[in-house]
């Protein structure tokens, strides 16, 4: 397999799963002929036909609601929300139905479904094309939230999400859709939902991130390494449910932690990770857990969006501060 | 080039066969087998008596808030009876009669209204009732899409209220149904009220049926208290869905004779006179006149049906009480059951915590 | 003024503000003739007419979207969502517009508005009538989130919310709408948005709660008092922005804290409070901050909903646990 | 009692006055003052040249993603010109020409597309462009409600695309407008495409205009590339709103001759032939033929107008470049400005943190 980009990883997983299982269908705005506005679904309509690669009218609640019905009648729908900022139109269908059908019916009506949506700032887009609100979905009982950070993980996690029996919100870091390439195996690869990965080992501090913040966090780790600070870096991959085991095992060793996300700070994902560390290993923490996050505002209009996003410098600085304590 | 009419939408048809007085339009009268006539009758009466019994139970505090269907029996019974078993039934929250026809038992319904998740039993190709108004319409569309994709001979019938037509969900579902040519029948239970909002203030269109024009398919208005008219319209729509894969909107003009739910006080917003007027149009006496005139059933038969149903309900409630006692004795960590297919570790931990507390508190608290 | 219930406090504030300012309008499902299904708006239509007390068609997004336009054209709309569980249909209007118009236009188009909605479990209602998802709104930049816990506070905070220049989500604890009565002043009373209150003083632990959890938390404090444990109790009143000052001043004194909410635990409001304490006074904490919350599930069907809600016993037990550490 | 038509919706009218070839239907020709004809012309040409210039700027990387309006000038210019100053203008995101008429400058637009919040300048009684498709329709309804409540002589005109009609928001807004009898005009820019989805697959209704039937008010379809037809239909609708407080839906049949946005590649989903066919219907040459035939303007006048606009745009861009330099020199903590009317303490703290970092990093990072 040649080296591929993250978006190609998404595309590959979709192709593979559609070929493996004829019940898998893709639906959304412009997912057919156009191949998706980011080309995530390119080539699918040619291979699987317009009945399984469905261009829908412009209605997010309609798309998710239709997917709910499809899942009830034997399909595994993969609806796309064109941008996460437009998924709110379908919020009620996701919260009231996608997240609750299994619960409501005590499993009589399961809800296998993967809701794909690109998220995040950094692509010089209009307003509402740069949001990062994974916390909404993570706070919604019944959903799983998965966010890949590399091409290989995109492919392996999306495959896993499609095979997963519960509904998964698959949040795609569009800022790194094409940022770099990675080798993926010829054989279909699947990674477990709910597992984080230590992507860099270190003993001084644990830095936790996911999605588009991973390259920045790794860059910060390299900057710190130059100064002799060995940062351990964890890629969450699944934001909900959190892989406490991996996080706690690491922070127990390092005694210090830092969480990075581009979502607004207040009531954001980092708060939950801090709360878990507080719950479980409070007395083993040697310093407060740092959070390096977006500010409490919508992502700024794009000329100034880089001022909003956590930079490697800022991440490294906060790590240094934590190490001083 | 100039000013000209480019589209003349079809006129909106109104269908009524059996009028308030029990007179039938012979030219339009459908040929319904006797057994089916009896089935329609029994289900309508069952629904009425079930409603009454359930209201009693609510008043006695045995169950919680309940949404009666009184007055709307014909609209939902004569329509849902048009479905075959393999067809899909998608209710709103006021189709108890239809749900019972599809396989729910009084016990299921009572357990649901008594606040037990165990009351949500789902017969195959049915959905449970849907609380968020209108949101079930899109599910029907997705179900119908899957049927069509898999080339399965399945029709989907979805119920919704007049109020539901104001929700974006209804609109998006109607539009998708039109665009994808889906075998789905929308049955609007236009019972004139959405809690306190009268039909005329729900929408400025003269009929609800004409809303179908916006989506490129057919709509029809029927006397929803006339089982014959509903039967005919639903039959045509189901057939159109089945053979042409085309959707239809049926507006059943009916009336909610009772409260919105037991938490509601309709005296605040509507007059007794209006209710009395509509009581005269009650579908059940009307249909019984028809059955008698046709010689299908007699007053004695009617009484026997009622007696039989009352007995059935009596037994059913006794059994339900027993089940409730059993449920109450169940360890309350069942609230943690089946939230996901794969339980997240934090939830497993929360359940363990719950059980620890429960044990410590001798089962009284958690 | 006689003693009134919480819902009467809401009603009183609406009446007062509608009388004071003819630009204030109320809109929603059944708010007119019916007086609101909980009677929050009772008597308003008689006093202010159907043009200012507006029964709308059944469409939440329509209601909020209409309120947005009203605010643009000089009115101060108070839309009601019949239950918080149905507000998601309007999520996009709230997130994309209500929360952002001031920001988007740099204040050229302000968005004064109070979105009222009853929330919470404990009233033996159907599914979706018992939700507590204040975290969604608290995580949304641009909104303020206010939750009263007594009749007097309901009246004074709702008045303040209506006078506030930013959009406020006013989350009403329906479980205690009629639970008890309280004296309110004849003179209009207003309480500051963004301020918490120490409602009971103590020196061993700080217990933080709001809304319908207040009576339960106070009950727990009384139980603890019997054992000689003096719990300080804070009523947040505003969930966003948090009144850090009051919280920190208290926890600094007690060294221990516990947060109560009925919202699901993960990614919930307590996590943010823990994160703030971690950020600001980590080294002054003597024990991990406890959270006593709803579980990660939809509120159970009502026969078992009390098993879900934090009970005074549970709150008190968790406080004792914290004190052991 | 029997099967009968109870509602005959009015036929949907199509209006065209000035055809592709520049021929005019004399019976329908409106009497538009010369100055207004020139204003329509100038604004259409301005829009076209502005579009071209902006595309260039985008290709040169001076601004970001941009949504051209090429081909839709008549539909938005001849409609918005029907508003008086006190009327309200609610755009979607593809009404640059209308926005410029209402008071935006090229600089505002460029700053917006260059990613500066400073580009959002809001002329009184205007809204800024709206990104979430269809969601602006409800704002128009609220504005119109307030106008009516306050008995102010204000009409609201809201623009949306063909794609927008599929959103629940459009439906709810139309329904509210009908129920409350609001002085609002919905102008649908049916440009045949919603990104890659053609009009026929957006909805199964034959026209978009007929969707008004679902809401109890009038709809009309016009040749959206014919400024005279748009002028007449918009004038009638505005007048109906003003004097009868009744809404109207106007469907302007037009075409998006260019890309959806500069991020789009239409070759993936539509044929060059289709585009060529529609180029023949371009509103500008057509209108110029009309103006010439009428003796209102000559080729020389047209050239002069173009020259003048080009100069204006040249100056405007120079000034904009200067403003961008100034904005780039602004301390970047402006991102914290005006998020709320009352800044929450945590946000003030975040800004202070940002400034501390900025200082430490010598203004290069934060
Ligand atoms: C989305 C949503 N909003 C509000 C409610 C509260 N509610 C329950 S039923 C109802 C009225 C429904 O009216 P209609 O659709 O006519 O059905 P009917 O009650 O007359 O059967 C309302 C407002 C709800 N369940 N869902
Ligand atoms: C709610 C929402 N969903 C999706 C998008 C992405 N999007 C932007 S424009 C567009 C197509 C709009 O089509 P139409 O309404 O016909 O307007 P046009 O682009 O043709 O002017 C889409 C899908 C959006 N902006 N908002
Ligand atoms: Mg109704
Ligand atoms: Mg379009």
């Amino acid at each position: 397999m040649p080296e591929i980009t993250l978006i190609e990883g998404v595309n590959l997983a979709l192709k593979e799963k559609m070929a493996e299982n004829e019940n898998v269908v893709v639906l959304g705005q412009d997912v057919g002929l156009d191949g998706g506005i980011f080309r995530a679904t390119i080539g699918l309509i040619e291979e699987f036909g317009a009945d399984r690669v469905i261009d829908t009218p412009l209605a997010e609640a309609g798309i998710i609601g239709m997917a709910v019905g499809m899942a009830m009648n034997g399909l595994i729908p993969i609806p796309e929300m064109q941008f996460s900022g437009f998924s709110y139109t379908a919020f009620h269908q996701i919260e009231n139905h996608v997240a609750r059908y299994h619960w409501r019916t005590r499993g009589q009506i399961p809800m296998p479904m993967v809701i794909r949506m690109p998220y995040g700032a950094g692509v010089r887009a209009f307003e509402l094309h740069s949001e990062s609100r994974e916390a909404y979905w993570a706070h919604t009982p019944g959903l799983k939230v998965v966010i890949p950070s590399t091409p290989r993980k995109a492919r392996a996690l999306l495959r896993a999400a499609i095979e997963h029996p519960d509904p998964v919100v698959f949040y795609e870091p569009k800022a790194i859709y094409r940022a770099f390439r990675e080798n993926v195996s010829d054989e279909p690869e699947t990674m477990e939902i709910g597992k984080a990965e230590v992507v860099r080992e270190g003993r001084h501090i644990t830095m936790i991130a996911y999605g588009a913040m991973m390259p920045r966090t790794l860059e910060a780790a390299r900057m710190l390494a130059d100064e002799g600070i060995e940062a351990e870096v964890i890629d969450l991959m699944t934001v909900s449910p959190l892989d406490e085991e991996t996080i706690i095992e690491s922070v127990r060793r390092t005694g210090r932690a830092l969480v990075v996300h581009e979502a607004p700070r207040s009531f954001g994902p980092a708060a939950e990770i801090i709360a878990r560390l507080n719950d479980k290993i409070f007395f083993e923490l040697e310093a407060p857990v740092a959070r390096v996050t977006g500010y409490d505002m919508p992502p700024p209009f794009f000329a100034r969006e880089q001022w909003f996003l956590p930079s490697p410098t800022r991440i490294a600085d906060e790590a240094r501060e934590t190490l001083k304590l | 080039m100039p000013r000209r009419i480019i589209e003349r939408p079809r006129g909106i048809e109104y269908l009524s066969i059996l009028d308030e007085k029990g007179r039938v339009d012979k030219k339009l009268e459908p040929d319904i087998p006797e057994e089916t006539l009896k089935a329609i009758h029994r289900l309508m009466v069952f629904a009425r008596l079930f409603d009454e019994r359930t209201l009693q139970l609510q008043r006695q505090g045995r169950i919680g808030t309940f949404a009666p269907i009184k007055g709307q029996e014909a609209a939902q019974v004569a329509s849902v009876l048009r479905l075959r078993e393999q067809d899909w039934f998608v209710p709103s929250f006021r189709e108890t009669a239809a749900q019972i026809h599809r396989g729910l038992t009084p016990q299921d319904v009572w357990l649901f209204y008594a606040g037990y998740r165990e009351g949500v039993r789902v017969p195959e190709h049915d959905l449970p009732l849907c609380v968020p108004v209108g949101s079930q319409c899109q599910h029907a569309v997705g179900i119908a899409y899957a049927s069509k994709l898999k080339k399965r001979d399945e029709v989907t019938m979805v119920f919704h209220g007049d109020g539901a037509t104001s929700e974006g969900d209804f609109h998006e579902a109607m539009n998708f149904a039109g665009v994808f040519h889906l075998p789905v029948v929308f049955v609007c239970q236009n019972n004139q009220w959405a809690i306190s909002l009268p039909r005329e203030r729900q929408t400025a269109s003269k009929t609800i049926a004409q809303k179908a024009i916006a989506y490129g398919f057919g709509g029809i208005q029927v006397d929803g208290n006339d089982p014959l008219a509903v039967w005919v319209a639903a039959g045509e729509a189901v057939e159109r869905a089945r053979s042409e894969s085309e959707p239809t909107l049926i507006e059943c003009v009916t009336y909610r004779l009772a409260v919105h739910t037991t938490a509601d006080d309709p005296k605040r917003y509507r007059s007794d006179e209006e209710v009395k007027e509509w009581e005269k149009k009650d579908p059940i006496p009307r249909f019984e006149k028809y059955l008698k005139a046709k010689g299908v059933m007699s007053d004695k038969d009617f009484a026997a049906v009622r007696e039989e149903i009352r007995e059935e309900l009596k037994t059913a409630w006794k059994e339900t009480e027993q089940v409730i006692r059993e449920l109450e004795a169940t360890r309350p960590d069942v609230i943690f059951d089946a939230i996901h297919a794969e339980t997240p570790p934090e939830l497993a931990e929360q359940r363990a915590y719950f059980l620890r507390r429960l044990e410590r508190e001798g089962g009284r608290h958690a």
Side-chain angles (χ1 to χ4, degrees), chain A, chain B:
Chain A
M1 191 72 73
E3 299 214 311
I4 63 173
T5 61
L6 198 153
I7 186 92
E8 287 164 356
V10 168
N11 184 256
L12 178 60
L14 293 174
K15 274 205 178 125
E16 288 174 346
K17 293 309 297 178
M18 289 195 80
E20 286 170 32
N21 184 342
E22 63 178 20
N23 293 325
V24 175
V25 298
V26 160
L27 66 159
Q29 294 152 15
D30 309 296
V31 298
L33 259 193
D34 198 36
I37 58 164
F38 287 107
R39 309 294 174 250
T41 53
I42 203 161
L44 296 183
I45 197 169
E46 290 80 1
E47 202 165 331
F48 304 105
D51 291 343
R52 287 180 63 201
V53 184
I54 309 157
D55 275 320
T56 66
L58 212 173
E60 287 76 13
I63 293 166
I64 300 293
M66 176 158 158
V68 168
M70 289 169 148
M72 289 165 162
N73 198 359
L75 302 182
I76 300 174
I78 310 181
E80 173 180 300
M81 302 277 92
Q82 208 155 59
F83 288 88
S84 69
F86 303 131
S87 63
Y88 311 139
T89 311
F91 204 108
H92 60 297
Q93 284 289 347
I94 299 176
E95 202 285 332
N96 295 352
H97 295 301
V98 175
R100 286 168 178 260
Y101 244 103
H102 190 283
W103 166 78
R104 173 180 299 139
T105 63
R106 290 165 304 126
Q108 292 167 89
I109 301 186
M111 201 41 60
M113 177 183 308
V114 182
I115 306 180
R116 293 181 42 244
M117 46 182 127
Y119 84 93
V123 301
R124 299 177 58 80
F126 287 168
E127 196 203 339
L128 281 163
H129 291 68
S130 305
E131 324 311 301
S132 183
R133 299 282 170 86
E134 58 278 17
Y136 291 153
W137 312 122
H139 185 53
T140 303
L143 300 177
K144 315 271 167 98
V145 182
V146 174
I147 310 187
S149 67
T150 76
R152 190 184 138 217
K153 287 176 179 169
R155 186 259 204 130
L157 288 169
L158 182 50
R159 286 186 55 92
I162 299 171
E163 291 166 13
H164 194 76
D166 293 308
V168 175
V169 172
F170 198 79
Y171 231 51
E172 299 174 2
K174 66 168 132 19
I176 55 169
Y177 261 162
R178 297 185 167 81
F180 54 92
R181 293 178 171 272
E182 189 180 21
N183 229 314
V184 298
S185 64
D186 285 320
E187 291 307 294
E189 187 189 11
T190 302
M191 285 174 178
E192 210 177 325
I193 304 281
K195 290 280 171 255
E197 188 191 355
V198 175
V199 291
R200 181 186 175 114
E201 294 188 357
R203 61 203 167 93
H204 295 127
I205 185 171
T206 303
M207 306 209 293
I208 302 162
Y210 52 91
M213 291 299 105
M214 280 312 298
R216 290 167 183 249
T217 305
L218 285 166
E219 172 63 21
R222 281 187 290 270
M223 291 163 68
L224 292 168
D226 291 344
E227 303 161 27
I229 300 172
E230 294 170 28
E232 178 141 313
V233 179
I234 292 180
D235 180 358
L236 278 186
M237 306 199 294
T238 298
V239 168
S240 176
L242 282 170
D243 180 359
E244 272 185 30
E245 222 174 275
T246 302
I247 296 171
I248 284 174
E249 191 280 327
S250 171
V251 181
R252 200 162 248 161
R253 267 189 290 104
T254 60
R256 289 178 161 83
L258 172 153
V259 189
V260 188
H261 60 63
E262 59 181 294
R265 179 183 186 89
S266 292
F267 301 86
E272 180 60 29
I273 294 169
I274 291 172
R276 297 283 174 101
L277 293 171
N278 163 89
D279 291 353
K280 298 290 174 66
I281 54 166
F282 175 79
F283 291 108
E284 293 168 69
L285 291 174
E286 298 188 25
V289 180
R291 25 181 191 171
V292 188
T293 69
Y295 302 109
D296 287 347
M297 62 177 70
F301 278 37
F302 72 76
R304 297 188 181 105
E305 66 181 334
Q306 290 300 339
W307 293 105
F308 169 82
L309 288 169
S311 62
T313 330
R314 186 175 150 213
I315 299 168
D317 277 352
E318 291 303 321
R320 285 184 204 105
E321 289 297 322
T322 303
L323 282 158
K324 278 189 210 148
L325 296 173
Chain B
M1 157 173 79
R3 219 160 174 128
R4 66 169 200 273
I5 303 290
I6 49 160
E7 169 70 357
R8 269 191 208 288
R10 266 181 302 166
I12 297 299
E13 224 175 56
Y14 178 77
L15 179 63
S16 149
I17 300 173
L18 176 68
D19 79 3
E20 294 176 40
K21 306 238 147 59
R23 286 173 309 212
V24 67
D25 183 322
K26 285 287 171 195
K27 286 195 306 296
L28 294 173
E29 187 187 5
D31 184 20
I32 307 180
E34 267 198 19
E35 282 322 293
T36 309
L37 288 173
K38 285 183 186 161
I40 295 175
H41 175 261
R42 187 177 201 284
L43 193 49
M44 294 208 301
V45 174
F46 192 100
R48 182 66 57 94
L49 297 181
F50 179 74
D51 232 32
E52 283 168 12
R53 181 77 185 104
T54 309
L55 269 171
Q56 271 176 3
L57 293 171
Q58 194 280 332
R59 296 276 129 95
Q60 297 162 355
R62 313 292 186 91
I63 63 162
T65 310
F66 160 67
I69 67 162
K70 186 178 176 189
Q72 302 181 216
E73 294 86 352
Q76 57 191 261
V77 165
S79 49
V80 79
L81 272 165
R82 285 303 211 162
L83 293 182
R84 300 160 302 173
E85 225 176 296
Q86 80 257 39
D87 294 329
W88 284 81
F89 164 66
V90 181
S92 91
F93 54 90
R94 205 186 292 285
E95 278 86 35
T96 320
Q99 287 186 296
I100 284 177
H101 166 67
R102 292 288 293 186
L104 285 201
T105 62
Q107 182 177 113
D108 295 323
V109 178
W110 284 328
L111 290 181
F112 175 83
Y113 282 117
Y116 296 96
R117 194 157 47 125
E118 288 81 352
V120 182
R121 202 172 51 76
V122 190
E124 219 186 327
H125 291 195
D126 279 26
L127 261 51
L129 68 72
C130 181
V131 172
V133 168
S135 62
Q136 74 279 13
C137 297
Q138 292 161 330
H139 308 163
V141 162
I143 291 169
Y145 190 99
S147 301
K148 191 175 174 186
L149 177 70
K150 295 294 185 179
K151 302 198 168 49
R152 284 194 300 247
D153 176 19
E154 297 168 353
V155 169
T156 301
M157 182 178 282
V158 55
F159 289 80
H160 60 84
D162 45 314
T165 66
S166 292
E167 287 281 6
D169 280 350
F170 166 77
H171 166 75
E172 299 184 8
M174 291 280 286
N175 193 44
F176 276 46
V179 165
F180 294 117
H181 302 284
L182 297 178
V184 54
V185 180
F186 294 85
V187 181
C188 179
Q189 302 276 303
N190 172 7
N191 63 3
Q192 312 306 324
W193 291 93
I195 307 187
S196 73
L197 200 74
R199 155 63 191 84
E200 314 78 64
R201 289 167 60 200
Q202 192 66 248
T203 180
S205 71
K206 195 170 148 204
T207 67
I208 284 174
Q210 78 199 62
K211 291 184 186 288
I213 295 170
Y215 311 101
F217 56 85
I220 181 169
Q221 193 186 67
V222 304
D223 178 347
N225 288 358
D226 169 1
L228 302 185
V230 174
W231 173 269
V232 168
E236 289 170 359
V238 166
E239 189 46 37
R240 193 171 313 117
R242 191 169 289 157
S243 60
E244 298 164 39
S245 197
E246 276 301 324
T248 305
L249 170 62
I250 303 174
E251 174 187 359
C252 298
V253 179
T254 178
Y255 195 79
R256 193 193 80 212
L257 287 173
V259 291
H260 168 71
T261 67
T262 49
D264 171 49
D265 173 14
K267 295 217 182 307
R268 298 192 55 79
Y269 53 78
R270 72 181 187 187
S271 70
D272 286 347
E273 290 71 58
E274 179 181 305
V275 180
K276 289 220 184 71
E277 276 313 302
W278 276 95
E279 274 168 354
K280 296 184 195 147
K281 304 184 192 172
D282 190 329
I284 294 178
R286 180 192 310 198
F287 195 54
E288 293 191 340
K289 267 188 209 140
Y290 174 71
L291 294 175
K292 264 164 69 176
K294 233 181 141 61
V296 175
M297 291 177 84
S298 66
D299 281 333
K300 233 180 73 194
D301 294 335
F302 298 149
V305 165
R306 280 180 172 70
E307 190 46 34
E308 189 190 304
I309 293 171
R310 282 211 180 84
E311 278 309 306
E312 190 180 327
L313 290 174
K314 204 178 279 172
T315 317
W317 174 247
K318 265 207 203 101
E319 285 167 13
T320 303
E321 275 191 306
Q322 177 56 26
V323 172
I324 288 181
R325 273 191 296 272
E326 284 161 23
L327 289 175
E328 282 298 303
T330 315
R331 214 171 53 179
D333 62 315
V334 290
I335 63 173
F336 287 89
D337 283 353
I339 295 166
H340 305 251
E342 269 187 26
T343 303
E346 50 260 53
L347 199 56
E349 218 175 80
Q350 289 171 23
R351 185 176 199 150
Y353 163 87
F354 182 94
L355 281 173
R356 275 199 312 278
R357 288 198 49 76
L358 193 68
E359 189 164 347
R360 202 162 67 196
E361 303 287 327
R364 288 182 315 277
H365 299 283

